Amino acid sequence: MTTTRLVVWRHGNTDWNAAGRVQGQTDVPLNALGEQQAVDAAELLVRLRPGALFSSDLRRAADTAAALAALTGLSVRRDERLRERHFGAWQGLTMAEVAETRPEEHAAWKAGADVVGGGVETLDDLAKRVGDALQAAVDAVPAGGTVVVATHGGAARHGAGHLLGWPREQLRTLRALQNCHWTELSYDDVRGWQLAAYNVGPFADRPVPSSL
């Protein structure tokens, strides 16, 4: 039985993460902390002997992937489907500002509703978009290897959930991925997709930041 490993890796820290701002698909770069996190995480991930490396086309994810590319010699294949959830009018705001200025939308988001309003992408659309990109990454390489995909917090959670066939209510029980942590999935023809590990990374003692 041939088993393929998929590592879904969240990007490093940014100034907007640090300030609690909703990033969504705004192209915010890594800060100095995020760059170091990417290097530290890559030193662990290289031990998994990845055979392919994919990334969101947003800089914070692509530059995170580049840290692993530097150790493996792999090229980074970018896919815009791996972008974070689009947060429409919320992008650039803190969650406190969203709650104050768009209270109904904020309440719907907090309750885990699929449709929030304000131009925010639905969770179903996010899950399918990212899940399709993850599946395409795995399908693009021979079975039995390790594929690493650098993406974003919400994208990682809902994309992996799409592959696993988990409902949104189940995904809400998972804590947000920390910066530069990852989810590991495995796939074989008998058992299909399975969750092997969640929120793995080198900074276990640090607080969990916003996944947006």
Side-chain angles (χ1 to χ4, degrees):
M1 182 172 59
T2 302
T3 301
T4 299
R5 174 164 50 195
L6 172 64
V7 175
V8 188
W9 184 22
R10 187 189 176 197
H11 62 78
N13 193 261
T14 71
D15 286 345
W16 280 27
N17 283 144
R21 296 197 176 280
V22 180
Q23 293 182 115
Q25 295 188 7
T26 308
D27 200 9
V28 183
L30 296 176
N31 57 24
L33 172 60
E35 291 172 354
Q36 185 60 54
Q37 288 174 334
V39 169
D40 292 344
E43 290 175 352
L44 296 180
L45 288 170
V46 72
R47 301 175 192 175
L48 301 181
R49 298 183 179 178
L53 181 55
F54 293 79
S55 172
S56 158
D57 63 339
L58 297 179
R59 284 181 293 172
R60 58 190 184 273
D63 288 350
T64 297
L68 183 56
L71 298 181
T72 61
L74 294 170
S75 60
V76 180
R77 309 186 209 180
R78 299 190 186 190
D79 187 338
E80 67 179 17
R81 293 177 297 174
L82 294 166
R83 290 182 179 187
E84 181 59 287
R85 184 181 188 183
H86 191 273
F87 272 87
W90 296 24
Q91 293 182 174
L93 302 177
T94 66
M95 291 310 296
E97 290 169 339
V98 173
E100 180 181 353
T101 62
R102 313 180 80 90
E104 293 183 1
E105 295 170 9
H106 183 264
W109 170 79
K110 220 175 163 185
D114 182 32
V115 179
V116 172
V120 178
E121 184 177 11
T122 70
L123 290 173
D124 282 352
D125 285 348
L126 170 68
K128 185 176 188 310
R129 167 170 64 79
V130 180
D132 287 351
L134 295 176
Q135 185 67 61
V138 170
D139 291 343
V141 299
T146 295
V147 178
V148 177
V149 177
T151 183
H152 310 264
R157 177 164 45 182
H158 289 277
H162 182 78
L163 294 182
L164 293 165
W166 288 9
R168 291 196 307 273
E169 293 75 19
Q170 187 170 358
L171 288 174
R172 280 174 58 78
T173 67
L174 295 175
R175 293 178 63 188
L177 280 178
Q178 292 177 260
N179 284 118
C180 263
H181 280 52
W182 57 87
T183 295
E184 182 180 325
L185 304 176
S186 64
Y187 178 83
D188 62 65
D189 291 337
V190 176
R191 294 168 296 190
W193 284 106
Q194 293 187 306
L195 178 65
Y198 184 77
N199 225 353
V200 181
F203 318 109
D205 295 331
R206 297 186 182 176
V208 177
S210 165
S211 64
L212 306 179

